[in-house]
């Protein structure tokens, strides 16, 4: 749902982070199964003294990262018209040469504080630890020679683009330019130029009936504008010529995944799209036989069960290559950075048995294989059927 960060999933994350904060980072805590009343089922195993870090990218390229502020002067912000033109913050990850550049921050401490506060886990010490999570991208890295496919990723509603970092870094290391997008007023807190932190002004109206459709239909305009700017020369990004505009993919988590399909329906430049556990809020889209991947939780997105009926309708409308995968033991945020960081904080969510380690491996393997197959023409048997290496992945439909 559009308000996925409100309710049980959000409370479960809150419980885990609150419990992690209860013990200083340099100490350890004995595992227990308790959780604050009404806050989901979570348990702390052990709190590591070392800084949290994202997993190392698996590909041969180093990872560079630039941050762009894009302003679409052709339209006003849909949530706050008085703010003027629509603004976006974009992290552009690009294949780099080894050995150059400077370390980059995962997120700012204020953005981390707002994210944690939104799930009831505020605390300056935890915000500092979260923002200090180690990443592999480097600022100022020299780009690798060649032209690369572009993948544009959109996060879940209220979630910042940073929650897609480990996937973005891995895809980049495998030879893609990846743009992760923050949509103004749709995250709990995103830093914009001029010292501004834009918070979720869209959250209250988004809870009204039918607003999921409104948000889903708005994001494609954002994503197409990002594609416009990244493939239109060097005016938006200094290394724009490293992108091959004939090979573009989109994808996202939650409503970002729903928006990926909606973008394909309106933008013929996009050759492939994927959705990570997002409900579709619009009618099945006509995408002209282009490939689409749906990967989600077994609990919600098994055909005929719960939100699986929502996916059933969309599946029937797809007329090209398509896969519907479910992951046993996963939760809504298993396809993001959340379980990877939580696991290092000593957190075990008893409602989501899939570990952070397995979550990131599965996400990277299947999303990477999908884009390599359809944007680079590489054979990827992983997408053909179940494998012993990933027993959690069920081919619900193919």
């Amino acid at each position: 749902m559009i308000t996925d960060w409100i309710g049980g999933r959000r409370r479960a994350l809150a419980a885990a982070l609150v419990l992690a904060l209860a013990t200083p980072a340099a100490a350890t805590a004995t595992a227990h199964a308790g959780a604050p009343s009404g806050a989901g089922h979570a348990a702390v195993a052990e709190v590591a003294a070392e800084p949290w870090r994202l997993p190392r990218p698996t590909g041969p390229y180093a990872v560079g990262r630039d941050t762009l502020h894009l302003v679409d002067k052709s339209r006003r912000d849909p949530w706050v018209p008085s703010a003027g033109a629509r603004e976006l913050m974009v992290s552009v990850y690009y294949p780099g040469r080894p050995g150059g550049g400077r370390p980059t921050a995962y997120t700012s401490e204020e953005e981390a504080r707002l994210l944690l506060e939104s799930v009831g886990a505020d605390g300056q010490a935890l915000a500092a630890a979260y923002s200090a999570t180690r990443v592999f991208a480097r600022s100022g890295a020299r780009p690798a020679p060649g032209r690369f496919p572009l993948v544009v990723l959109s996060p879940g509603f209220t979630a910042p683009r940073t929650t897609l970092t480990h996937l973005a870094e891995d895809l980049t290391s495998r030879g893609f330019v990846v743009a992760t997008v923050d949509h103004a007023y749709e995250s709990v807190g995103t830093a914009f130029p001029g010292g501004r932190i834009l918070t979720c002004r869209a959250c209250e109206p988004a809870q009204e009936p039918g607003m999921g459709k409104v948000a889903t239909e708005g994001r494609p305009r954002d994503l197409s504008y990002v594609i416009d700017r990244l493939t239109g020369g060097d005016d938006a990004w200094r290394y724009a010529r490293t992108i091959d505009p004939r090979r573009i993919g989109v994808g996202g988590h939650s409503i970002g995944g729903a928006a990926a399909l909606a973008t394909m329906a309106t933008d013929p430049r996009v050759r492939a799209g994927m959705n990570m556990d997002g409900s579709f809020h619009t009618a099945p889209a006509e995408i002209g036989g282009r490939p689409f991947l749906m990967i989600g939780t077994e609990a919600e997105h098994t055909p005929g069960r719960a939100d699986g009926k929502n996916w059933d309708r969309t599946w029937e409308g797809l007329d090209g290559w398509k896969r519907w995968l479910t992951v046993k033991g996963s939760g809504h945020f298993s396809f993001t950075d959340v379980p990877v960081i939580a696991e290092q904080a000593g957190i075990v969510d008893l409602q989501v048995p899939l570990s952070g380690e397995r979550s990131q491996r599965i996400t990277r393997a299947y999303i990477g294989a999908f884009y390599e197959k359809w944007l680079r023409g590489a054979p990827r048997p992983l997408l053909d059927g179940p494998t012993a290496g990933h027993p959690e992945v069920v081919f619900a439909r193919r």
Side-chain angles (χ1 to χ4, degrees), residues 38-108:
H41 302 286
V44 174
E46 183 174 297
V47 178
E50 298 180 358
W52 303 332
R53 64 180 64 232
L54 297 185
R56 181 177 296 277
T58 61
Y61 291 99
V63 180
R65 190 183 81 188
D66 284 341
T67 302
L68 306 179
H69 173 226
L70 302 183
V71 182
D72 185 355
K73 296 180 180 178
S74 70
R75 57 195 177 107
R76 301 182 76 81
D77 188 273
W79 305 109
V80 186
S82 61
R86 180 64 163 167
E87 295 182 81
L88 307 167
M89 291 302 298
V90 181
S91 292
V92 184
Y93 298 82
Y94 58 93
R97 302 172 189 262
R102 304 174 300 280
T104 56
Y106 182 55
T107 188
S108 72

Side-chain angles (χ1 to χ4, degrees), residues 125-142:
L126 184 56
Y130 185 89
S131 66
T133 297
R134 300 282 180 85
V135 299
F136 286 87
R138 298 181 69 84
S139 174
R142 292 185 302 157

Side-chain angles (χ1 to χ4, degrees), residues 170-197:
D170 192 64
L171 286 172
T172 301
S173 77
R174 294 161 72 161
F176 296 87
V177 174
V178 181
T180 59
V181 183
D182 259 328
H183 309 262
Y185 301 110
E186 295 182 25
S187 80
V188 293
T190 297
F192 278 74
R196 297 174 296 150
I197 300 287

